[in-house]
Every structure is written in structure tokens, then in C-alpha cells.
Amino acid sequence: MKTEKEMVELIKFNEEGYINEGEKAYARRGEIERLAEELAKKDYKNVYLLGIGGTEFSFEPFAYLANKKSRLDFIQLNAGTLTVAWPKHLNENSLVITSSISGTTLEAVEAVKILMKKNIDVVAFAPRDTALAETASKVIELELGENGGIEHVTMLLTFLIYGFLHFRGEFADYPKYSDQINNIFRELVDIRKAFERRADEIAQKTYNAPYTIFTGSGSLWGETMMFSMCFLEEMQWVRTRPCRADQFFHGTLELVEKGVPVFIIKSEDEYRSIDTRVENFCKKIQAEYYVIDPAEFSISGLDEQFRELVSHWIVCAMLSDRLSAYYERYTKHNMNYRRYYRQFEY
Amino acid sequence: MKTEKEMVELIKFNEEGYINEGEKAYARRGEIERLAEELAKKDYKNVYLLGIGGTEFSFEPFAYLANKKSRLDFIQLNAGTLTVAWPKHLNENSLVITSSISGTTLEAVEAVKILMKKNIDVVAFAPRDTALAETASKVIELELGENGGIEHVTMLLTFLIYGFLHFRGEFADYPKYSDQINNIFRELVDIRKAFERRADEIAQKTYNAPYTIFTGSGSLWGETMMFSMCFLEEMQWVRTRPCRADQFFHGTLELVEKGVPVFIIKSEDEYRSIDTRVENFCKKIQAEYYVIDPAEFSISGLDEQFRELVSHWIVCAMLSDRLSAYYERYTKHNMNYRRYYRQFEY
């Protein structure tokens, strides 16, 4: 007899492809750690995480979490702004890390050209033979398939960024952490299955709302923006209002009313109490709210101390993967259709 | 015969009160500069600007502009987060500046108590005999009237923050700048008059929109948030989507369509080209867009080099003062009415 989990069918998801590509990503561990070790020997004064759009948001949890562990500052940098305003502490003592799944993101390529001219080290995650790969000083080749790109890049970033901290002496337990996540993609499949029916229910109730509020904080603010901005706004044309949980009570709260769903993305880090305050408020006024809480889900074999490092991964699977698939089902709006983005020059 | 400007009647605005209180604010210059000079003698390693809600946003332009001039980092700090996550570089070598027009903002008072226990210097702008004034190590007493509080505090912050930079040797022309803004409130009255009819027209067209996009950047991002979040969301219950201009093209652009107004707040600093890109896009697709451009307005006697320092002041007068008055006229929603904020415990 099949267990309930085995009977859940994940829509729009290639389990085998996702697992296979995930294993390939994990297999890059040694190669990327060697680069991390080499980088850790240099006396960098800070680290800039350069991206735009989805990449910018996928760097957010790393910036947040690495800042807690490291003496160095990890600073988010929007690639589109480098040509207009030079960041105060960016110079030849900086390390820049960037990533582009397409390898062609215009703003990123332009930014890296400028950085190279200034002799600033740039490590780029990009597919071979793309403009970005040909521009950066060091390249980690992306060989992504069609199944779960964002989450697989998260694995590669984990090896590079936390590996870098480890070799700097700032993350002693990193090898243990890296060992413990070797099976995480299977775990994330099971989490998907556990969440699938709820994703369906939530999407049915919310897909047609005229306006939807999202709150997030700490290491999950990036995923909050990723889902509300990249997936719902860009790919689903859904009107959202992403709002930092620590700002919610100074403006956006007054918009909560019947017919306005509020998504509360609950972190597993220091900010959790701030997210909970939003939740308690919504409960009190009987708002239509949905708590997205990665803490609900277990990851077999993972130490408690590492939970905060994986919670953004779990939320990515829940929202940007599962919930967006159901939004698409109900809105009938093709995720790949754009009216403006990259459709003409602007 | 009256000139056209003299015939414009500003609704919901006490010109005499605004000018008188503005003169009182300017008269504090010597007192505040003495404090700035004293602070500049200490060897602070960074400056935190502590606020929440409107105060947080009113600090934004100062953080942005002071960061350009100073070797020190000026860092925004949300008062509500201090109890959960300690900022990496905040310690007894930091200077904290905070402000509360009421002097009772709960989060700010709690945060300052914690800072005082850790022997961190806190300069607070607050009315006499309030909780905040009684907690901070140094107090600049606010004696604000009912007319134009935000803009008058901007003057006091100017004396403190740019004065501090001056005495640190990082803003040589500060005395000239301070001299040249001695008449700025009269200038801001005339700018109001020049903008009044347009404010009326814009509000008539937009007050009833189901959802309104705002973009801003650089030194004007704070005012973009101030108007869209504090005024329209909190005080007018208008659904807004504030979006940083450098992120607009990676999500929010796909939401632009008939019936969705886009406000483009154009800065006079490095970011102007990014704002202009949003404007050009909106023009190209024939969106319903409104350009709020402080550069349109002259300030008599002000050197060109100081323009970027006053543009947030101009935008504050245009949006948070004038446009919000007309929103209120058309929505008929009392600006002082709240359903949740400070109405009960949450």
C-alpha cells in the first residue's frame, strides 16, 4: 500500500529531473570548496553580492546569514545601479560574487565589465560561453537543467559562501552542515508533497484577489520578494504589496480588510517574533491570512543549529515552486508570457 | 493687481503658521551647530539613524546624502528590530540619532533604553518631558506647532547631521548651504502655490484607483515611502505598491496597464537616469503616469551644488503635504482616522 505522501502527485514538477540535477549540483562541492579556500586566503575587506531581479533576491538570505557569521560585511548590490552610483566600500580589496542563470543579464554583464576594468575580483555563476562567463575573473559554470534551477544554485552558493566563511575560520561546523544537506532535495520533494494540497487550497482562495499583502523579514525577506515580485507580479500579473514585517505596523496594516489576503512568511531566525506580531494582529482582527512557516517541516538528519540556513530553501519550494504552479493553474495566465519584460527596448 | 501665485489659495494650509514655525526652526541653528561641533570631536566609528514609520523614512535622504560625503557609514535602523537583532557595527563607538514628533513612539523609547544601558550615545529630537526626551543622553527639544512638522524637523536634522560633517571636515561648504536655506520655507510656500492646481488635478484622477504604483530612488526613496506608506496607506487607506526604480523592471513593470497610475518620483542625484528609464518606459507604452520632479522648481539663492540636498524637502511639500490634502478632499477619508493603528494592543 502506498503511503499518503507517495500518492500525492506534484503538478508541473519533474521529480526525477529535480533529484538528478540536484545530485549534480551537490557533486560540485569539492570543486567549489577549493575555490572558496583559495578566495579565503586573500585579505578581502568586504564581499558584494551583485545581482538584479531574482538573483538579487536569492542573494538576500546569504547576505543576511553570512553577515551574522563573518567579520566582513556582505553587501547586496543591484547590478543596474553600478553605472550610476559607486558603492562606498567597493574597491580592489572587495570580492564580488554574481550569478545569472541565463548568463546574459544585461545589467550584470555591464557591471562586471566595469568591475574588471577596476581590477576587482569577480566570481560569476554562469553557463559556459555566455557573456557573463566570458567577462568575470573566475567562473563557476552552471549546467542547470529545466528542473529547479533556483534551488540548485542555492546549493552552489552554499558551497562558495559558507565554504569561504569556513576557510576564514568563521563557520567551524560548515563541513558538518554540508554533509547534512547532501539529501536535501529529496527532503524538499517530501516537503512539497506535504504542502501540495495546501498550496492548491491557498491558490484557489487567493489567485483572484484584487490586491495581496506579503510580509517577511530577516533571512526570508529575499524569498518574500522573490515570490511576490518575480513570480506573482512578473509571471502572473497579480497585484502584490510586499512589506517588511518590521514596517507593517506603520502603514500597510490599515489596508487589511475583507477580500485582502495577507501572507505572513515566518522566519526561523531572530526576526520570528516580528513575523508573529503580524500573525497575532491578523488573528485578532480576523483577517484572511496565510502563514507560510518553514518551521512546520522537518529535514531528516539536520541539526537544529542549521535550521535557519535552510528555511529560505524550504520557502522557495513552497512558494516560488508549489504555490506559483497553482496560481498559474487558476489564473490560467501562462508563467512564461510577458507583455513588456524583454519584449522591446526600454 | 495680484500675481497668479498670490491668488492661488492653498487648501488645508496655514501659511503664516508654517512660516513662523519655520523661522523658529531656523533660529535653532546656533544651538544645534554647537552640539554638532561637540559630537564631531568624538571619534565615532559610525552613525545609526534610529526611527520607525515616518521617522525612518525622513532619515533616508540624510543617510543617503551623508554617506556620500562622509568616511563614516550612516546606517538606517528600524527601532522595532533592535530588541531582536543587534546591528553588526553598533557599539559604544557609535553615535545614534533618533527623532519622534510625539516623543512617545513605543519602539523608539524601548530601543533608546537599551542603547543607554550599553553606554551608546543617543541624540534624540523630542518634545520636552516626553518618554524619549527623558531617556536619551542628549536631547534637542522639539517645539513644533501644528503646521509643517516634518519639514521643520528636516531643518533641525540639517543643522545636526551636515553640521556634524562640517566640523569633521567633510562638508566645507556647509555654512554657505545653511545660509542659503534660511528662506527655504517661503520658497516652499511658493512651490506649493505653483504645484497646487496640479496636485488637485492629479488627486482627482488617481484617488479612486484600485492600485497605484510608486517608483523612487536614491535620496528620494525615503519620500516615496513616506507618501505611499505613511500618507496614502495609513491615513488614506489607498492601495499602493512602492517599488524602487532600480527593481521596477524586474517584476512590477508587468502590472502597468489602463487604470493603474504610476507615480515616478525623479531624483536630482545620481539615480535620476534610473528614474528616467521608468519614465521613458511609461511614455512608450502610453501608461497613465505622473512625474513628480523637484527639479522643475527653483529655489532662489541656492547654489546648484546644493540642489540634491533640498530635493527631498521639495517632494515632501509636493506629495505628503499638497497631494495628500487633495486625496483627502476627494476620498473624503479623514486623514486622522485609523481603524487599527494605536487603536488597541497588538
Side-chain angles (χ1 to χ4, degrees), chain B residues 59-215:
Chain B
F59 279 143
E60 283 251 12
F62 288 98
Y64 181 83
L65 296 161
N67 266 323
K68 291 208 294 180
K69 294 183 183 295
S70 182
R71 287 178 302 278
L72 299 184
D73 284 338
F74 283 72
I75 306 163
Q76 289 272 97
L77 176 56
N78 180 300
T81 66
L82 194 66
T83 48
V84 299
W86 192 260
K88 195 164 175 171
H89 303 290
L90 176 59
N91 56 45
E92 65 284 358
N93 296 314
S94 303
L95 170 64
V96 176
I97 298 171
T98 190
S99 170
S100 168
I101 290 181
S102 69
T104 61
T105 313
L106 202 66
E107 292 95 334
V109 175
E110 285 310 304
V112 173
K113 277 184 192 162
I114 295 169
L115 294 165
M116 295 307 297
K117 274 193 200 135
K118 302 217 176 207
N119 286 317
I120 296 171
D121 288 350
V122 179
V123 176
F125 292 84
R128 186 197 298 244
D129 294 334
T130 57
L132 189 60
E134 284 166 7
T135 311
S137 40
K138 293 221 184 295
V139 179
I140 298 170
E141 275 183 25
L142 293 179
E143 299 160 347
L144 299 171
E146 294 297 305
N147 307 292
I150 301 175
E151 292 167 56
H152 296 147
V153 174
T154 295
M155 182 66 92
L156 306 182
L157 285 169
T158 293
F159 296 144
L160 185 74
I161 293 174
Y162 298 144
F164 175 70
L165 295 186
H166 173 63
F167 291 113
R168 283 175 46 83
E170 296 176 326
F171 189 176
D173 282 342
Y174 162 77
K176 197 171 166 191
Y177 173 59
S178 266
D179 288 347
Q180 290 185 0
I181 55 173
N182 89 75
N183 208 27
I184 196 163
F185 296 116
R186 285 195 189 278
E187 297 288 323
L188 289 168
V189 168
D190 286 345
I191 288 171
R192 280 169 163 82
K193 289 180 178 170
F195 181 63
E196 189 76 358
R197 282 182 192 155
R198 207 142 28 110
D200 187 355
E201 283 165 25
I202 294 173
Q204 272 189 61
K205 286 186 190 153
T206 57
Y207 80 95
N208 213 13
Y211 161 85
T212 304
I213 294 169
F214 287 81
T215 71

